[in-house]
């Protein structure tokens, strides 16, 4: 393990992430849930189809099923039966015959094409072909979507709405997923109160436990809020010990910046093995990570925007891995900035922006107001991060910048 405290200067985000990613293990605990309850859960096993989808050749149109060899323009055919979806025919179709068929109806034996109703004319049961048919025309063939034995979804995938439908079409009623992981949230600081409590002089309402909890709930992490713990050695030791016993991950905010809030540091160093990182990012420089006896520990900075940036950029990818999810790259796009954005080289900036597509189809982005690390309204009104790479200096109007939309980040 790299001792980051002894590394002079700041650690680039990518290298911190690569190291931290190696330090966490994916959980192995499985449970079975009903398909209806599987949205957003993480598959614990590959899903193999036991069926062909569609199960048999069927019609993509309302029309007439026939033999392709009998389907030249001007041919007259005798309609001998009707096929509705869910009611296959047992009779075999011969030369000179055709069958009225509805969308989804199973193609009768002997037929290998369907002509659209609009390309025929009918007089009683005699159907005239008005446009020569092609072999296989308007037929959805057996197994064209999925073949029996095919691996359809891989373990580690977080199930989407479409996945749930896909699994239903395979006849899967119960799904083996990883158990939800549990995170304990702790806010530290004498100055903090929860909404609903009276504020004394010098106090204000804490917000980090609320933003973190909201993101974690959308990530399907169970949250236990241990509330606000004052800057007090005994109380911090007591709460950290309880949190470690009850959760897979303990997440704190505040008290990880160097030179203050020493209690958190003392307690953590007594209870576990924690590294205090100084990251080359803005906002969000201090970040703590480590192991308590039973759990992982993430220490987010106290400033509300810094807490969210480190949550999104470090804690969430790590939590996804711990929960058993396969890693995927974040969606990042290029946009043209409509504004000059001041920056000094040395740290990667995560500024809060608003992107939109202009009338010409160009993706454009502007800053969402003042960018201080305590200004939470800059996050609330934004719809993306504007990511300015470490070595980049001030960006002029019209330059390309990288953006990361918030939807992807569970904002
Ligand atoms: P700290 O790292 O504890 O010095 O906190 C840095 C700044 O963030 C201070 O201004 C704290 O008051 C503030 N802060 C710490 N925790 C929270 C919280 N849970 N919600 C809102 N602000 C906080
Ligand atoms: Mg503090």
């Amino acid at each position: 393990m790299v001792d980051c405290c002894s590394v002079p200067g700041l650690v680039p985000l990518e290298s911190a992430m690569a190291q931290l990613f190696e330090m966490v293990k994916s959980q192995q605990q499985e449970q079975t849930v009903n398909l209806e309850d599987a949205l957003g859960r993480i598959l614990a096993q590959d899903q193999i189809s036991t069926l062909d989808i569609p199960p048999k050749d069927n019609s993509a149109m309302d029309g007439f099923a026939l033999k392709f060899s009998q389907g030249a323009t001007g041919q007259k055919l005798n309609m001998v039966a009707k096929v509705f979806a869910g009611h296959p025919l047992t009779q075999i179709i011969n030369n000179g015959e055709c069958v009225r068929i509805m969308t989804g109806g199973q193609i009768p034996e002997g037929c290998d094409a369907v002509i659209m109703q609009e390309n025929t004319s009918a007089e009683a049961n005699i159907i005239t072909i008005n446009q020569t048919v092609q072999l296989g025309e308007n037929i959805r063939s057996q197994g064209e979507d999925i073949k029996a034995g095919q691996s359809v979804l891989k373990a580690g995938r977080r199930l989407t709405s479409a996945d749930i439908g896909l699994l239903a079409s395979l006849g899967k009623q119960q799904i083996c997923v990883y158990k939800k992981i549990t995170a304990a949230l702790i806010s530290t600081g004498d100055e903090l109160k929860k909404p609903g409590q009276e504020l004394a002089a010098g106090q204000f309402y804490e917000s980090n436990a609320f933003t973190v909890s909201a993101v974690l709930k959308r990530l399907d992490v169970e949250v236990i809020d241990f509330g606000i713990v004052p800057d007090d050695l005994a109380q911090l030791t007591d709460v950290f010990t309880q949190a470690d016993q009850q959760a897979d991950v303990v997440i704190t905010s505040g008290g990880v910046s160097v030179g203050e809030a020493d209690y958190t540091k003392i307690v953590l160093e007594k209870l576990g093995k924690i590294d205090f990182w100084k990251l080359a990012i803005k906002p969000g420089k201090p970040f703590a990570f480590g192991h308590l006896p039973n759990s992982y520990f993430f220490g987010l900075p106290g400033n509300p925007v810094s807490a969210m940036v480190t949550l999104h950029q470090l804690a969430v990818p790590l939590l996804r891995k711990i929960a058993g999810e396969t890693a995927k790259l974040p969606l990042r796009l290029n946009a043209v900035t409509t504004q000059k954005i001041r920056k000094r080289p040395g740290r990667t900036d995560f500024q809060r922006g608003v992107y939109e597509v202009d009338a010409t189809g160009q993706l454009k982005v502007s800053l969402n107001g003042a960018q201080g690390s305590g200004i939470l309204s800059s996050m609330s009104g934004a719809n993306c991060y504007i990511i300015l790479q470490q070595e980049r200096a001030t960006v002029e109007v019209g330059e390309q910048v990288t953006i990361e939309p918030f939807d992807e980040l569970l904002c």
Side-chain angles (χ1 to χ4, degrees), residues 188-192 231 253-257 260-261 264 302:
T188 65
D190 289 347
E191 74 280 28
L192 305 175
D231 296 313
S253 67
V256 289
S257 36
E260 51 86 46
T264 313

Side-chain angles (χ1 to χ4, degrees), residues 187-189 191-192 204-209 253-257 260-261 300-304:
S187 300
T188 65
E191 74 280 28
L192 305 175
F204 60 86
Y205 292 120
E206 79 105 353
S207 57
N208 291 341
S253 67
V256 289
S257 36
E260 51 86 46
L300 309 179
N303 279 310

Side-chain angles (χ1 to χ4, degrees), residues 89-111:
L89 270 193
T90 45
Q91 110 191 48
I92 297 174
I93 305 309
N94 300 305
N95 284 347
E97 295 178 345
C98 70
V99 170
R100 175 91 174 105
I101 194 163
M102 311 306 155
T103 304
Q106 187 174 316
I107 306 295
E109 213 176 308
C111 295

